[in-house]
Amino acid sequence: MTDQNSFPEPVEGEEAASAAGPSTGSGSDSPASEPIIEGEFIEAEGPDVETSLSDADLSFLEDASSASSSTASDEVLAAERLADLQRVTAEYANYRKRTEANREVERERTVGEVVKVLLPVLDDLDRAEKHGDLGDGPFASIAQKLRGGTERLGLKPFGAAGDVFDPQLHEAIFQQPSADVEVETVADVVETGYYLGSTLLRAAKVVVSTPVSA
């Protein structure tokens, strides 16, 4: 009968293994017992490698991005302001031109109303000069001063015998056929025409020579 408190005799070889210490071949908690598989990632021992950007780096990038965006916005704003300035400058230049042109037209109109009163006097002086009534007397000096004063106001006489007849500048009060002309030509000026600046103040009244039809 076997004694319940007795232990089985150790098998040969087990005693030696037990004396040598715990086996390292089957313990799941021992990392040395795990085989190394080729290609498997093995975490390195020691402190973790820093792979992220620091707060200073992120702040620098944000500032750079913000500065770039701000520069682009400033350039767009500057371009818009320049376009506005150019448009305002052009509008002001056009306004000045229109104002100056209107002022010149108004000046010519005002002066024209005054000069028209003097035209009959100038016509009388022209007739007197044709008939030789002015001569070298005092009336000649008065006529010269009057004509000089009206010219300073911008009054310019036109119309002379031999000019080609222009219905826009000449008023024909008489026509006479002539074999000496090939086109309608001014034969005589009855009343001188006048420009006031660039405005036709009065057309010239003329006698016209017309070509003789064959």
Side-chain angles (χ1 to χ4, degrees):
M1 184 174 181
T2 307
D3 189 0
Q4 294 181 357
N5 295 326
S6 64
F7 296 95
E9 293 292 334
V11 182
E12 183 179 359
E14 290 183 1
E15 183 178 359
S18 178
S23 173
T24 59
S26 60
S28 59
D29 295 334
S30 175
S33 63
E34 295 180 357
I36 298 177
I37 302 175
E38 184 177 358
E40 183 179 358
F41 175 79
I42 301 175
E43 184 177 358
E45 296 182 356
D48 294 340
V49 179
E50 183 68 32
T51 58
S52 60
L53 296 175
S54 65
D55 292 341
D57 294 333
L58 293 175
S59 176
F60 173 78
L61 292 177
E62 290 176 357
D63 292 343
S65 176
S66 218
S68 177
S69 176
S70 177
T71 301
S73 299
D74 292 343
E75 290 178 354
V76 172
L77 183 61
E80 292 177 354
R81 293 294 181 267
L82 178 60
D84 292 341
L85 179 60
Q86 291 174 341
R87 183 176 64 258
V88 171
T89 302
E91 291 176 354
Y92 178 69
N94 292 333
Y95 168 77
R96 286 190 59 185
K97 290 179 181 179
R98 290 194 303 270
T99 302
E100 291 176 359
N102 293 337
R103 185 183 296 112
E104 184 63 20
V105 170
E106 184 64 22
R107 188 193 73 84
E108 290 182 356
R109 188 191 68 79
T110 303
V111 174
E113 294 297 325
V114 176
V115 172
K116 282 181 180 179
V117 179
L118 300 176
L119 293 184
V121 180
L122 296 176
D123 293 338
D124 291 340
L125 292 176
D126 289 340
R127 296 187 187 99
E129 187 174 22
K130 285 182 178 179
H131 290 86
D133 295 337
L134 289 181
D136 296 331
F139 286 106
S141 177
I142 294 174
Q144 183 178 1
K145 290 179 181 179
L146 181 60
R147 288 170 176 167
T150 55
E151 288 178 1
R152 284 194 296 272
L153 292 175
L155 191 67
K156 299 177 182 178
F158 71 90
D163 292 345
V164 176
F165 176 74
D166 185 347
Q168 295 183 350
L169 300 177
H170 305 120
E171 180 184 350
I173 61 175
F174 184 75
Q175 292 183 349
Q176 58 185 18
S178 175
D180 298 332
V181 296
E182 297 180 355
V183 295
E184 293 182 338
T185 305
V186 176
D188 188 22
V189 178
V190 179
E191 286 184 0
T192 302
Y194 289 98
Y195 271 107
L196 184 61
S198 58
T199 304
L200 178 63
L201 190 61
R202 188 182 75 178
K205 295 181 179 181
V206 298
V207 177
V208 181
S209 296
T210 58
V212 178
S213 58

